[in-house]
Amino acid sequence: MAASRIAARELLHNIKLIPYYQKSSCLFIRWISTSKFQCSSQPLEKSALQQLVGVVGLEIHAQISSNTKLFSGSSVQFLAPPNSLVSFFDASLPGTLPVLNKRCVEAAVMTGLALNCTINKKSVFDRKHYFYADLPAGYQITQQCRPVAVDGVLTYSFLGGRKRNQVMRKNVYIKQIQLEQDSGKSLHDDVNSQTLIDLNRAGVGLMELVMEPNMSCGEEAAAAVRELQLILQALGTCQGNMSEGQLRVDANVSVHRPGEPLGTRTEVKNINSLRYLARAIDFEIQRQTEVVQRGGAVLNETRAYDSKSGETVAMRDKEGLQDYRFMPEPNLPPLLVFEDEASLPAGVEAGQAVLLCTLRAGLPELPSVRRDRLVQTYGLLPEHSFTLVNEDGLMEYFEAVMKGTSRDPRKVIGWVTNELLGLLKQQDLSVSHSPVPPAALAELLELQEAGRISSSAAKQVFQEMWRSPGKAAPQIIQERDLGLVSDDADLHRICQKVVDSHPDEVRAVRSGNQKVLNKLMGLVQKETKGRADPVLVRKILQEKTS
């Protein structure tokens, strides 16, 4: 409580908040599997229930990676002291004018190019009027009438099929990408019953992306957002950290029957993780379906997702249609984008203009191209390429390992996606914080390839390398005596001991049950602490049990 009071005193304003209405967005259709839903009232006929469809709309606000804000020279920094990054323009002092940040324009254009959008050579800025405590000007500068990019497509992938190991690819169409300002941040002081305002975020550049109705469920929506997140990170136009508010998703959800008017929608605001996005959408479709089945009416309201209960909860109603009184921004000329230097007007230098040819030539390898390249270059399965690309830094780790080893890539992928990724997930670590660097894993794999250690011993070495960062594989092998036992005399002696002490298993093998031989091999490996050459052990045991 004390910390809350101190933080509150550091803020500029003490203003009572009023509800804020978010404009409606596009619609996504989802066929409902009503057999999953439990109805508390009398159920409809199965054929009627199966006609219900869910309609989901997404609006995504991506914070542009830029050192300064969209229209001012104030720095952009997460967790800076309250109101320490506020210019006169951000605070809307009289007489201040916006100066457009070229970096933000280039980021929006690059994003549009990566999503196969049509880039408008001439776009305009508008004022969207509404009152909110952390919007001191009383309006937001956005692009309502003619945005910077329109009509794009995002191809995304997700794992489907019965075993969820098939890579499914689908398209979602991008209606538009527009540049706009972010608002400030409200801090609610419950002790003193007041709300104070931090304007550090006010004026930060955003890209708002609106998608067309091509999705079918919460899982697909989350997969599409994840693909967009990967693209933005590859471009460097947005860091995409949802926990820091750099990527924020609003979902509009309704249900209806095909051929009938769309149902009343609800808006689920500010969903801050991909997992919660999928759960919030699916829960809201289920909730509204049950309301309709009971003969009730869905309310037009804003809701929030409660991650603890897994449910959406009502925040405020949206029955009134707000008039934003859009008007052209008088202090900003039209935003012009040129194809190349030859198309520049006289007197305009190339360094002052945004050139499509330059930005197009600088586009990096995108996630879908990375997946295809991994499959073609290394002979990986599509699902493996999916895992490598979707985990931050995992593809780079895998390729770094491949540079240091001659092992079959299909063997290496098992180590990276099973051993490494399993421990990372278990300890909630990112790939960049792995205690075992790529070069160390490559060295271990080379030792196994050279016949110095067995596969089971290699896993023991890897575990020790994880627990003791800095220890090299050869050192661990020597300290723990994990070197491969390949001496014929030693292996014959150990195999004979196992055969003599397990007569029942030997009789089973001699009767034709070759599966029991694997048990005997496991016993030999236990005797040798996993250091025996499995090929040689199998050969010796087959001789002794024949």
Side-chain angles (χ1 to χ4, degrees):
M1 292 298 183
S4 175
R5 290 195 295 271
I6 294 173
R9 285 197 293 269
E10 293 178 345
L11 300 178
L12 281 179
H13 302 289
N14 179 7
I15 304 175
K16 184 178 181 180
L17 300 182
I18 64 172
Y20 162 61
Y21 177 84
Q22 176 70 24
K23 69 182 179 67
S24 62
S25 66
C26 60
L27 301 173
F28 290 72
I29 296 177
R30 180 200 177 194
W31 288 98
I32 301 301
S33 173
T34 55
S35 61
K36 296 190 307 180
F37 304 152
Q38 298 296 325
C39 303
S40 57
S41 62
Q42 292 183 354
L44 301 178
E45 293 296 323
K46 183 177 181 181
S47 59
L49 292 182
Q50 288 176 336
Q51 294 179 0
L52 289 172
V53 298
V55 184
V56 182
L58 293 182
E59 286 182 353
I60 302 169
H61 292 84
Q63 179 179 314
I64 298 173
S65 294
S66 173
N67 293 328
T68 56
K69 297 182 180 180
L70 183 57
F71 298 118
S72 78
S74 297
S75 298
V76 177
Q77 180 184 341
F78 184 64
L79 291 181
N83 294 305
S84 61
L85 305 175
V86 185
S87 70
F88 291 156
F89 177 79
D90 302 329
S92 301
L93 297 186
T96 56
L97 296 173
V99 178
L100 183 58
N101 184 340
K102 180 185 175 185
R103 158 61 186 166
C104 292
V105 177
E106 290 178 335
V109 172
M110 284 184 68
T111 302
L113 291 173
L115 295 174
N116 302 297
C117 291
T118 297
I119 305 300
N120 285 324
K121 299 292 182 65
K122 179 181 179 180
S123 59
V124 296
F125 288 96
D126 307 287
R127 287 186 179 182
K128 176 183 177 182
H129 292 82
Y130 60 93
F131 174 78
Y132 203 63
D134 52 21
L135 190 72
Y139 61 83
Q140 177 193 44
I141 300 179
T142 183
Q143 291 188 307
Q144 171 70 13
C145 299
R146 192 173 179 83
V148 67
V150 295
D151 300 333
V153 62
L154 167 66
T155 300
Y156 63 96
S157 304
F158 62 98
L159 293 177
R162 291 184 178 180
K163 297 183 179 180
R164 299 189 60 80
N165 62 351
Q166 299 178 17
V167 177
M168 317 293 288
R169 290 191 178 186
K170 292 195 175 183
N171 292 330
V172 56
Y173 295 98
I174 310 297
K175 180 180 179 182
Q176 66 187 56
I177 301 175
Q178 62 194 51
L179 282 165
E180 63 185 27
Q181 300 169 293
D182 203 350
S183 59
K185 181 180 180 181
S186 300
L187 179 65
H188 304 287
D189 182 0
D190 295 332
V191 175
N192 297 310
S193 300
Q194 60 184 1
T195 295
L196 305 181
I197 305 301
D198 178 9
L199 293 180
N200 279 347
R201 202 171 65 188
V204 170
L206 298 178
M207 294 179 287
E208 180 179 356
L209 299 97
V210 182
M211 298 179 180
E212 296 286 0
N214 305 121
M215 313 293 279
S216 63
C217 63
E219 181 185 19
E220 289 188 14
V225 174
R226 175 54 178 160
E227 188 74 8
L228 175 64
Q229 185 181 43
L230 290 170
I231 290 173
L232 297 176
Q233 291 170 344
L235 295 171
T237 56
C238 173
Q239 295 179 10
N241 189 330
M242 298 186 76
S243 64
E244 294 184 5
Q246 295 169 353
L247 201 67
R248 308 194 291 272
V249 183
D250 299 337
N252 292 284
V253 183
S254 67
V255 296
H256 76 136
R257 291 184 175 86
E260 298 181 0
L262 296 178
T264 303
R265 69 178 177 85
T266 61
E267 180 185 38
V268 185
K269 291 285 291 182
N270 292 327
I271 306 171
N272 63 359
S273 86
L274 299 176
R275 183 172 68 255
Y276 294 162
L277 173 64
R279 291 178 179 176
I281 289 173
D282 288 339
F283 173 84
E284 188 60 20
I285 291 175
Q286 176 179 341
R287 184 190 70 85
Q288 293 187 27
T289 299
E290 292 175 347
V291 170
V292 173
Q293 289 171 1
R294 295 193 299 267
V298 176
L299 299 178
N300 183 12
E301 60 186 353
T302 298
R303 301 178 69 86
Y305 179 67
D306 185 346
S307 60
K308 294 182 179 179
S309 67
E311 301 177 354
T312 62
V313 294
M315 295 173 61
R316 53 182 180 269
D317 68 72
K318 294 165 64 79
E319 293 300 331
L321 180 63
Q322 182 154 346
D323 181 8
Y324 290 112
R325 293 178 292 119
F326 284 100
M327 61 170 283
E329 169 55 54
N331 294 322
L332 287 168
L335 172 58
L336 302 179
V337 177
F338 302 93
E339 183 61 39
D340 49 32
E341 292 189 29
S343 62
L344 291 176
V348 177
E349 298 180 3
Q352 300 175 326
V354 176
L355 302 179
L356 288 176
C357 64
T358 302
L359 296 178
R360 193 178 289 113
L363 290 177
E365 185 182 50
L366 297 179
S368 59
V369 178
R370 288 180 178 179
R371 294 188 188 98
D372 293 340
R373 178 176 61 80
L374 287 169
V375 172
Q376 295 169 6
T377 303
Y378 301 105
L380 303 180
L381 295 174
E383 55 264 34
H384 289 153
S385 69
F386 180 86
T387 302
L388 288 177
V389 173
N390 275 38
E391 292 291 336
D392 291 331
L394 196 61
M395 186 194 76
E396 292 78 7
Y397 189 102
F398 168 77
E399 294 196 301
V401 173
M402 288 304 306
K403 290 179 180 179
T405 181
S406 58
R407 292 207 69 182
D408 187 330
R410 289 169 293 184
K411 299 290 185 181
V412 177
I413 192 66
W415 279 89
V416 173
T417 59
N418 295 330
E419 306 302 326
L420 175 73
L421 190 58
L423 287 172
L424 289 172
K425 295 289 186 183
Q426 182 180 333
Q427 300 186 18
D428 195 22
L429 295 175
S430 63
V431 176
S432 60
H433 291 92
S434 169
V436 181
L441 177 55
E443 182 182 28
L444 173 61
L445 297 180
E446 281 296 283
L447 291 171
Q448 185 183 354
E449 184 73 8
R452 292 274 306 277
I453 52 174
S454 66
S455 59
S456 59
K459 293 180 180 180
Q460 295 180 50
V461 174
F462 183 79
Q463 293 281 346
E464 183 61 27
M465 291 168 65
W466 185 276
R467 291 189 293 265
S468 306
K471 270 192 176 184
Q475 178 185 356
I476 297 172
I477 293 171
Q478 183 178 6
E479 289 177 353
R480 301 186 61 178
D481 191 23
L482 293 174
L484 194 65
V485 177
S486 57
D487 181 81
D488 280 359
D490 286 344
L491 287 179
H492 272 277
R493 178 181 55 79
I494 296 172
C495 288
Q496 189 63 52
K497 177 182 176 183
V498 169
V499 167
D500 292 341
S501 58
H502 294 81
D504 292 340
E505 285 77 3
V506 172
R507 280 193 295 269
V509 174
R510 288 173 177 168
S511 299
N513 191 348
Q514 292 298 314
K515 291 183 179 180
V516 180
L517 190 67
N518 294 327
K519 179 180 179 181
L520 296 177
M521 289 184 63
L523 294 170
V524 173
Q525 292 292 358
K526 184 177 181 181
E527 286 286 331
T528 61
K529 298 180 180 179
R531 298 184 297 122
D533 185 340
V535 176
L536 193 53
V537 168
R538 177 175 286 274
K539 180 181 178 182
I540 296 173
L541 287 175
Q542 286 175 336
E543 293 175 357
K544 293 184 177 297
T545 57
S546 61

